[in-house]
Amino acid sequence: MTVFTAPAWDQHELVAFGSDRSTGLRAIIAVHDTTLGQGVGGCRMYPYASDEEALHDVLRLSRGMTYKSALAGLPMGGGKSVIIGDPRRDKTPALLRAMGDFVHSQGGRYVAAEDSGTGVSDIRLMAERTPHVSGMNDNEFGGDPSPSTAYGVFLGIRTAVRHRLGVDSCAGLRVAVQGLGHVGYHLARHLLDDGATVYGADVNEGNLRRAVDELGVLPVAAEEILALEVDILAPCAMGAVLNDRSISVLRAGIVAGAANNQLATAEDSARLQDHGILYCPDFLINAGGIIDVHHQRTGSANDEKRSHIERIELTLAEVLQRADTTRQPTHDIAEELAREYLRRGPGLSVAAPPLQAAG
Ligand code: NAD
């Protein structure tokens, strides 16, 4: 396995491999950039098929966190960790404590939060060994940042709708939500409250049923959701869902969802643009969760957190406007804007006024 020549390597500041004989822990921590603060990001547990796959994921995800936190105006850098293993089979309290030791050994350059395959209770076990964890407070949602992520994505959708369709709500619009888990469920609720018709698909029958029975989501087969004739597609399941094959069958004019790393390759942002699809960069509109984590750490009031999440609308509006002016893909513009914030360095924090149009 190579690291410095790995495809997802991007001058990461730190990549650490950790193992623990007694608990079977095998984990990687990656810190991409600490210009704006400690590398904060989720600890993902997943049964990766190979070490290379785990490395690829942690490198990509930690880079994404740098950009996400920078655009959200957070005093945080980009980090992420992965535990190689099946969370349903391999997760034990001892393994999570060992992960806590591993996080602690990085001296605070990385701060762990929950992610796919881990939850608030797991972070609490890590916290027995290290203070460098976040997102485990008992807030209105019990520490789970997903409702905040869903709220930010919903605001992103409304901003895109305003920009593309010139209307102020989703009333009468059709939205396809792929994945009705933690984020997708709450997103569907916001959309329905706003008057949209929501179609949903999930490979997990229980999650699909819950959204259908409790919210009134219209069920669609998982293999049909991407090509559904709708106004908006919201990918809220897994990454790399937008690729050369899928983009050619999409019928939605707007793509805006929570999933991380929705674009399979860098070329897919231009491909979406060529197909006339307005793409809302995932790392911009799904920042509600990391904003929530930040406010849990600082102990701020809920309305402060809420207004911070609402700044996603301003940032996205700026990206869409710049994309119109320059005719560049939205994803590229959002990355460029994040790099501008990184160049400006620390100081652009939550205490700062809303993000301004820069240049
Ligand atoms: P989750 O695991 O709770 O939900 C994902 C859902 O997608 C599950 O119900 C799963 O069964 C379903 N799914 C998987 N493959 C599918 C497929 N092919 N078709 C349809 N459904 C499928 O995860 P989540 O916390 O809701 O996060 C969703 C996405 O958003 C992930 O990519 C995550 O990385 C990203 N994200 C989450 C947060 C957060 O706060 N939870 C923050 C930022 C980004």
Side-chain angles (χ1 to χ4, degrees), residues 93-132:
L95 179 133
L96 291 160
R97 288 189 191 100
M99 184 63 193
D101 288 335
F102 182 35
V103 169
H104 195 63
S105 70
Q106 305 311 312
R109 288 178 81 186
Y110 170 64
V111 178
E114 67 171 297
D115 205 274
S116 310
T118 61
V120 174
S121 56
D122 302 326
I123 300 301
R124 290 204 175 112
L125 286 164
M126 291 185 206
E128 292 178 16
R129 302 301 181 88
T130 180
H132 305 305

mmCIF file of all heavy atoms in Angstrom, residues 93-132:
data_model
loop_
_atom_site.group_PDB
_atom_site.id
_atom_site.type_symbol
_atom_site.label_atom_id
_atom_site.label_comp_id
_atom_site.label_asym_id
_atom_site.label_seq_id
_atom_site.Cartn_x
_atom_site.Cartn_y
_atom_site.Cartn_z
ATOM 1 N N PRO A 93 -17.018 -2.429 23.500
ATOM 2 C CA PRO A 93 -16.578 -1.293 24.326
ATOM 3 C C PRO A 93 -15.055 -1.232 24.420
ATOM 4 O O PRO A 93 -14.471 -0.138 24.349
ATOM 5 C CB PRO A 93 -17.220 -1.583 25.688
ATOM 6 C CG PRO A 93 -18.439 -2.380 25.356
ATOM 7 C CD PRO A 93 -18.047 -3.243 24.188
ATOM 8 N N ALA A 94 -14.399 -2.385 24.520
ATOM 9 C CA ALA A 94 -12.937 -2.384 24.651
ATOM 10 C C ALA A 94 -12.282 -1.830 23.385
ATOM 11 O O ALA A 94 -11.300 -1.071 23.451
ATOM 12 C CB ALA A 94 -12.446 -3.804 24.924
ATOM 13 N N LEU A 95 -12.823 -2.185 22.228
ATOM 14 C CA LEU A 95 -12.271 -1.691 20.962
ATOM 15 C C LEU A 95 -12.428 -0.168 20.879
ATOM 16 O O LEU A 95 -11.517 0.541 20.444
ATOM 17 C CB LEU A 95 -12.977 -2.388 19.800
ATOM 18 C CG LEU A 95 -12.520 -1.963 18.399
ATOM 19 C CD1 LEU A 95 -12.276 -3.194 17.514
ATOM 20 C CD2 LEU A 95 -13.548 -1.068 17.727
ATOM 21 N N LEU A 96 -13.574 0.331 21.318
ATOM 22 C CA LEU A 96 -13.797 1.783 21.256
ATOM 23 C C LEU A 96 -12.899 2.520 22.240
ATOM 24 O O LEU A 96 -12.410 3.613 21.943
ATOM 25 C CB LEU A 96 -15.273 2.095 21.502
ATOM 26 C CG LEU A 96 -16.150 1.632 20.339
ATOM 27 C CD1 LEU A 96 -17.599 1.477 20.759
ATOM 28 C CD2 LEU A 96 -16.044 2.602 19.158
ATOM 29 N N ARG A 97 -12.646 1.908 23.402
ATOM 30 C CA ARG A 97 -11.704 2.543 24.347
ATOM 31 C C ARG A 97 -10.308 2.559 23.731
ATOM 32 O O ARG A 97 -9.569 3.547 23.873
ATOM 33 C CB ARG A 97 -11.702 1.786 25.671
ATOM 34 C CG ARG A 97 -12.978 2.002 26.462
ATOM 35 C CD ARG A 97 -12.893 1.436 27.880
ATOM 36 N NE ARG A 97 -14.209 1.438 28.486
ATOM 37 C CZ ARG A 97 -15.003 0.358 28.581
ATOM 38 N NH1 ARG A 97 -14.591 -0.826 28.161
ATOM 39 N NH2 ARG A 97 -16.197 0.472 29.115
ATOM 40 N N ALA A 98 -9.948 1.467 23.039
ATOM 41 C CA ALA A 98 -8.629 1.427 22.379
ATOM 42 C C ALA A 98 -8.555 2.507 21.296
ATOM 43 O O ALA A 98 -7.509 3.143 21.098
ATOM 44 C CB ALA A 98 -8.388 0.042 21.769
ATOM 45 N N MET A 99 -9.688 2.740 20.617
ATOM 46 C CA MET A 99 -9.716 3.814 19.623
ATOM 47 C C MET A 99 -9.539 5.160 20.323
ATOM 48 O O MET A 99 -8.850 6.053 19.811
ATOM 49 C CB MET A 99 -11.048 3.782 18.849
ATOM 50 C CG MET A 99 -11.129 4.791 17.720
ATOM 51 S SD MET A 99 -9.896 4.483 16.422
ATOM 52 C CE MET A 99 -9.992 6.023 15.492
ATOM 53 N N GLY A 100 -10.130 5.280 21.499
ATOM 54 C CA GLY A 100 -9.941 6.504 22.289
ATOM 55 C C GLY A 100 -8.469 6.725 22.607
ATOM 56 O O GLY A 100 -7.957 7.848 22.500
ATOM 57 N N ASP A 101 -7.757 5.658 22.958
ATOM 58 C CA ASP A 101 -6.308 5.765 23.225
ATOM 59 C C ASP A 101 -5.568 6.229 21.967
ATOM 60 O O ASP A 101 -4.651 7.053 22.038
ATOM 61 C CB ASP A 101 -5.736 4.396 23.657
ATOM 62 C CG ASP A 101 -6.184 4.016 25.055
ATOM 63 O OD1 ASP A 101 -6.504 4.934 25.846
ATOM 64 O OD2 ASP A 101 -6.228 2.801 25.352
ATOM 65 N N PHE A 102 -5.970 5.679 20.827
ATOM 66 C CA PHE A 102 -5.314 6.026 19.559
ATOM 67 C C PHE A 102 -5.543 7.511 19.238
ATOM 68 O O PHE A 102 -4.609 8.240 18.868
ATOM 69 C CB PHE A 102 -5.866 5.114 18.457
ATOM 70 C CG PHE A 102 -5.254 5.315 17.091
ATOM 71 C CD1 PHE A 102 -3.915 5.656 16.924
ATOM 72 C CD2 PHE A 102 -6.042 5.143 15.951
ATOM 73 C CE1 PHE A 102 -3.370 5.837 15.657
ATOM 74 C CE2 PHE A 102 -5.505 5.319 14.687
ATOM 75 C CZ PHE A 102 -4.168 5.669 14.544
ATOM 76 N N VAL A 103 -6.782 7.952 19.409
ATOM 77 C CA VAL A 103 -7.093 9.375 19.175
ATOM 78 C C VAL A 103 -6.248 10.231 20.128
ATOM 79 O O VAL A 103 -5.641 11.227 19.729
ATOM 80 C CB VAL A 103 -8.609 9.639 19.384
ATOM 81 C CG1 VAL A 103 -8.903 11.141 19.402
ATOM 82 C CG2 VAL A 103 -9.421 8.950 18.289
ATOM 83 N N HIS A 104 -6.170 9.789 21.379
ATOM 84 C CA HIS A 104 -5.441 10.576 22.385
ATOM 85 C C HIS A 104 -3.951 10.688 22.030
ATOM 86 O O HIS A 104 -3.313 11.716 22.287
ATOM 87 C CB HIS A 104 -5.607 9.940 23.768
ATOM 88 C CG HIS A 104 -5.206 10.864 24.872
ATOM 89 N ND1 HIS A 104 -5.863 12.057 25.115
ATOM 90 C CD2 HIS A 104 -4.194 10.804 25.778
ATOM 91 C CE1 HIS A 104 -5.282 12.678 26.124
ATOM 92 N NE2 HIS A 104 -4.259 11.946 26.541
ATOM 93 N N SER A 105 -3.425 9.630 21.432
ATOM 94 C CA SER A 105 -1.986 9.614 21.120
ATOM 95 C C SER A 105 -1.629 10.675 20.070
ATOM 96 O O SER A 105 -0.448 10.987 19.884
ATOM 97 C CB SER A 105 -1.554 8.214 20.639
ATOM 98 O OG SER A 105 -2.109 7.954 19.362
ATOM 99 N N GLN A 106 -2.626 11.263 19.389
ATOM 100 C CA GLN A 106 -2.332 12.306 18.393
ATOM 101 C C GLN A 106 -2.269 13.692 19.037
ATOM 102 O O GLN A 106 -2.113 14.704 18.336
ATOM 103 C CB GLN A 106 -3.382 12.289 17.264
ATOM 104 C CG GLN A 106 -3.542 10.938 16.581
ATOM 105 C CD GLN A 106 -2.209 10.330 16.170
ATOM 106 O OE1 GLN A 106 -1.373 10.997 15.558
ATOM 107 N NE2 GLN A 106 -1.999 9.050 16.511
ATOM 108 N N GLY A 107 -2.453 13.736 20.345
ATOM 109 C CA GLY A 107 -2.239 14.977 21.093
ATOM 110 C C GLY A 107 -3.210 16.098 20.775
ATOM 111 O O GLY A 107 -2.879 17.273 20.980
ATOM 112 N N GLY A 108 -4.389 15.782 20.248
ATOM 113 C CA GLY A 108 -5.379 16.823 19.994
ATOM 114 C C GLY A 108 -5.359 17.369 18.574
ATOM 115 O O GLY A 108 -6.153 18.250 18.244
ATOM 116 N N ARG A 109 -4.475 16.866 17.746
ATOM 117 C CA ARG A 109 -4.520 17.334 16.339
ATOM 118 C C ARG A 109 -5.772 16.807 15.658
ATOM 119 O O ARG A 109 -6.254 17.389 14.696
ATOM 120 C CB ARG A 109 -3.271 16.854 15.577
ATOM 121 C CG ARG A 109 -2.026 17.600 16.001
ATOM 122 C CD ARG A 109 -0.824 17.071 15.274
ATOM 123 N NE ARG A 109 -0.711 17.635 13.926
ATOM 124 C CZ ARG A 109 0.205 17.234 13.048
ATOM 125 N NH1 ARG A 109 1.051 16.275 13.363
ATOM 126 N NH2 ARG A 109 0.266 17.786 11.857
ATOM 127 N N TYR A 110 -6.293 15.685 16.154
ATOM 128 C CA TYR A 110 -7.543 15.122 15.624
ATOM 129 C C TYR A 110 -8.571 15.034 16.752
ATOM 130 O O TYR A 110 -8.249 14.585 17.857
ATOM 131 C CB TYR A 110 -7.297 13.725 15.036
ATOM 132 C CG TYR A 110 -8.584 13.015 14.690
ATOM 133 C CD1 TYR A 110 -9.436 13.524 13.713
ATOM 134 C CD2 TYR A 110 -8.981 11.859 15.367
ATOM 135 C CE1 TYR A 110 -10.638 12.897 13.414
ATOM 136 C CE2 TYR A 110 -10.174 11.223 15.065
ATOM 137 C CZ TYR A 110 -10.999 11.751 14.086
ATOM 138 O OH TYR A 110 -12.195 11.143 13.795
ATOM 139 N N VAL A 111 -9.807 15.464 16.446
ATOM 140 C CA VAL A 111 -10.918 15.364 17.387
ATOM 141 C C VAL A 111 -11.997 14.506 16.732
ATOM 142 O O VAL A 111 -12.458 14.820 15.631
ATOM 143 C CB VAL A 111 -11.485 16.764 17.719
ATOM 144 C CG1 VAL A 111 -12.685 16.655 18.660
ATOM 145 C CG2 VAL A 111 -10.406 17.645 18.336
ATOM 146 N N ALA A 112 -12.400 13.430 17.403
ATOM 147 C CA ALA A 112 -13.335 12.466 16.808
ATOM 148 C C ALA A 112 -14.781 12.799 17.136
ATOM 149 O O ALA A 112 -15.103 13.251 18.244
ATOM 150 C CB ALA A 112 -13.003 11.061 17.319
ATOM 151 N N ALA A 113 -15.650 12.553 16.161
ATOM 152 C CA ALA A 113 -17.101 12.665 16.370
ATOM 153 C C ALA A 113 -17.744 11.411 15.765
ATOM 154 O O ALA A 113 -17.053 10.571 15.192
ATOM 155 C CB ALA A 113 -17.635 13.926 15.688
ATOM 156 N N GLU A 114 -19.050 11.300 15.889
ATOM 157 C CA GLU A 114 -19.700 10.096 15.350
ATOM 158 C C GLU A 114 -19.785 10.162 13.826
ATOM 159 O O GLU A 114 -19.692 11.229 13.223
ATOM 160 C CB GLU A 114 -21.086 9.917 15.953
ATOM 161 C CG GLU A 114 -22.076 10.988 15.551
ATOM 162 C CD GLU A 114 -23.493 10.656 15.990
ATOM 163 O OE1 GLU A 114 -24.038 9.650 15.528
ATOM 164 O OE2 GLU A 114 -24.047 11.416 16.784
ATOM 165 N N ASP A 115 -19.982 9.022 13.221
ATOM 166 C CA ASP A 115 -20.077 8.926 11.765
ATOM 167 C C ASP A 115 -20.813 7.621 11.442
ATOM 168 O O ASP A 115 -21.309 6.949 12.356
ATOM 169 C CB ASP A 115 -18.661 8.909 11.168
ATOM 170 C CG ASP A 115 -18.623 9.406 9.738
ATOM 171 O OD1 ASP A 115 -18.841 8.591 8.813
ATOM 172 O OD2 ASP A 115 -18.387 10.595 9.526
ATOM 173 N N SER A 116 -20.838 7.242 10.158
ATOM 174 C CA SER A 116 -21.479 5.971 9.809
ATOM 175 C C SER A 116 -20.817 4.851 10.616
ATOM 176 O O SER A 116 -19.596 4.769 10.654
ATOM 177 C CB SER A 116 -21.282 5.634 8.338
ATOM 178 O OG SER A 116 -21.623 6.712 7.544
ATOM 179 N N GLY A 117 -21.628 4.038 11.228
ATOM 180 C CA GLY A 117 -21.089 2.886 11.971
ATOM 181 C C GLY A 117 -20.720 3.192 13.409
ATOM 182 O O GLY A 117 -20.361 2.295 14.171
ATOM 183 N N THR A 118 -20.786 4.474 13.800
ATOM 184 C CA THR A 118 -20.556 4.813 15.204
ATOM 185 C C THR A 118 -21.667 5.750 15.656
ATOM 186 O O THR A 118 -22.275 6.438 14.835
ATOM 187 C CB THR A 118 -19.200 5.529 15.443
ATOM 188 O OG1 THR A 118 -19.177 6.755 14.710
ATOM 189 C CG2 THR A 118 -18.018 4.656 15.038
ATOM 190 N N GLY A 119 -21.899 5.789 16.952
ATOM 191 C CA GLY A 119 -22.946 6.658 17.480
ATOM 192 C C GLY A 119 -22.472 7.378 18.731
ATOM 193 O O GLY A 119 -21.322 7.216 19.154
ATOM 194 N N VAL A 120 -23.377 8.136 19.300
ATOM 195 C CA VAL A 120 -23.029 8.947 20.471
ATOM 196 C C VAL A 120 -22.496 8.066 21.604
ATOM 197 O O VAL A 120 -21.519 8.413 22.283
ATOM 198 C CB VAL A 120 -24.276 9.750 20.929
ATOM 199 C CG1 VAL A 120 -23.991 10.493 22.218
ATOM 200 C CG2 VAL A 120 -24.694 10.728 19.845
ATOM 201 N N SER A 121 -23.105 6.889 21.809
ATOM 202 C CA SER A 121 -22.650 6.023 22.916
ATOM 203 C C SER A 121 -21.214 5.544 22.667
ATOM 204 O O SER A 121 -20.440 5.350 23.617
ATOM 205 C CB SER A 121 -23.594 4.829 23.083
ATOM 206 O OG SER A 121 -23.674 4.132 21.863
ATOM 207 N N ASP A 122 -20.853 5.365 21.404
ATOM 208 C CA ASP A 122 -19.468 4.938 21.078
ATOM 209 C C ASP A 122 -18.479 6.063 21.383
ATOM 210 O O ASP A 122 -17.374 5.820 21.882
ATOM 211 C CB ASP A 122 -19.367 4.550 19.600
ATOM 212 C CG ASP A 122 -20.328 3.431 19.242
ATOM 213 O OD1 ASP A 122 -20.551 2.564 20.106
ATOM 214 O OD2 ASP A 122 -20.862 3.437 18.119
ATOM 215 N N ILE A 123 -18.884 7.275 21.054
ATOM 216 C CA ILE A 123 -18.008 8.425 21.320
ATOM 217 C C ILE A 123 -17.820 8.577 22.837
ATOM 218 O O ILE A 123 -16.736 8.910 23.312
ATOM 219 C CB ILE A 123 -18.612 9.718 20.701
ATOM 220 C CG1 ILE A 123 -18.776 9.560 19.182
ATOM 221 C CG2 ILE A 123 -17.750 10.933 21.013
ATOM 222 C CD1 ILE A 123 -17.505 9.280 18.418
ATOM 223 N N ARG A 124 -18.872 8.285 23.575
ATOM 224 C CA ARG A 124 -18.753 8.372 25.045
ATOM 225 C C ARG A 124 -17.724 7.363 25.563
ATOM 226 O O ARG A 124 -16.988 7.645 26.505
ATOM 227 C CB ARG A 124 -20.114 8.121 25.697
ATOM 228 C CG ARG A 124 -21.078 9.270 25.454
ATOM 229 C CD ARG A 124 -22.172 9.327 26.527
ATOM 230 N NE ARG A 124 -22.979 10.521 26.293
ATOM 231 C CZ ARG A 124 -24.252 10.484 25.887
ATOM 232 N NH1 ARG A 124 -24.853 9.343 25.697
ATOM 233 N NH2 ARG A 124 -24.905 11.611 25.688
ATOM 234 N N LEU A 125 -17.683 6.180 24.936
ATOM 235 C CA LEU A 125 -16.669 5.183 25.366
ATOM 236 C C LEU A 125 -15.258 5.686 25.047
ATOM 237 O O LEU A 125 -14.338 5.534 25.848
ATOM 238 C CB LEU A 125 -16.927 3.841 24.666
ATOM 239 C CG LEU A 125 -18.128 3.053 25.209
ATOM 240 C CD1 LEU A 125 -18.554 1.963 24.246
ATOM 241 C CD2 LEU A 125 -17.787 2.458 26.582
ATOM 242 N N MET A 126 -15.088 6.300 23.874
ATOM 243 C CA MET A 126 -13.767 6.870 23.527
ATOM 244 C C MET A 126 -13.399 7.957 24.531
ATOM 245 O O MET A 126 -12.235 8.108 24.904
ATOM 246 C CB MET A 126 -13.792 7.470 22.123
ATOM 247 C CG MET A 126 -13.926 6.454 21.016
ATOM 248 S SD MET A 126 -13.799 7.329 19.426
ATOM 249 C CE MET A 126 -14.719 6.235 18.406
ATOM 250 N N ALA A 127 -14.423 8.692 24.969
ATOM 251 C CA ALA A 127 -14.176 9.819 25.874
ATOM 252 C C ALA A 127 -13.665 9.358 27.238
ATOM 253 O O ALA A 127 -13.135 10.161 28.009
ATOM 254 C CB ALA A 127 -15.455 10.633 26.048
ATOM 255 N N GLU A 128 -13.802 8.067 27.530
ATOM 256 C CA GLU A 128 -13.214 7.560 28.780
ATOM 257 C C GLU A 128 -11.693 7.625 28.722
ATOM 258 O O GLU A 128 -11.020 7.584 29.732
ATOM 259 C CB GLU A 128 -13.661 6.106 29.026
ATOM 260 C CG GLU A 128 -15.142 5.989 29.340
ATOM 261 C CD GLU A 128 -15.578 4.536 29.535
ATOM 262 O OE1 GLU A 128 -14.702 3.658 29.718
ATOM 263 O OE2 GLU A 128 -16.795 4.283 29.482
ATOM 264 N N ARG A 129 -11.128 7.711 27.489
ATOM 265 C CA ARG A 129 -9.672 7.689 27.324
ATOM 266 C C ARG A 129 -9.077 8.981 26.780
ATOM 267 O O ARG A 129 -7.872 9.147 26.776
ATOM 268 C CB ARG A 129 -9.276 6.544 26.366
ATOM 269 C CG ARG A 129 -9.720 5.177 26.822
ATOM 270 C CD ARG A 129 -9.118 4.852 28.190
ATOM 271 N NE ARG A 129 -9.509 3.522 28.630
ATOM 272 C CZ ARG A 129 -8.840 2.411 28.321
ATOM 273 N NH1 ARG A 129 -7.746 2.465 27.615
ATOM 274 N NH2 ARG A 129 -9.290 1.244 28.738
ATOM 275 N N THR A 130 -9.940 9.849 26.252
ATOM 276 C CA THR A 130 -9.397 11.075 25.650
ATOM 277 C C THR A 130 -10.409 12.210 25.713
ATOM 278 O O THR A 130 -11.622 11.966 25.531
ATOM 279 C CB THR A 130 -8.983 10.835 24.171
ATOM 280 O OG1 THR A 130 -8.459 12.063 23.642
ATOM 281 C CG2 THR A 130 -10.153 10.378 23.302
ATOM 282 N N PRO A 131 -9.944 13.431 25.930
ATOM 283 C CA PRO A 131 -10.877 14.564 25.843
ATOM 284 C C PRO A 131 -11.085 15.003 24.393
ATOM 285 O O PRO A 131 -11.929 15.861 24.123
ATOM 286 C CB PRO A 131 -10.150 15.666 26.637
ATOM 287 C CG PRO A 131 -8.695 15.343 26.499
ATOM 288 C CD PRO A 131 -8.578 13.841 26.362
ATOM 289 N N HIS A 132 -10.324 14.422 23.449
ATOM 290 C CA HIS A 132 -10.369 14.901 22.066
ATOM 291 C C HIS A 132 -11.499 14.226 21.272
ATOM 292 O O HIS A 132 -11.273 13.539 20.268
ATOM 293 C CB HIS A 132 -9.012 14.671 21.386
ATOM 294 C CG HIS A 132 -7.885 15.280 22.148
ATOM 295 N ND1 HIS A 132 -7.861 16.618 22.505
ATOM 296 C CD2 HIS A 132 -6.758 14.742 22.666
ATOM 297 C CE1 HIS A 132 -6.776 16.869 23.192
ATOM 298 N NE2 HIS A 132 -6.079 15.751 23.316
#
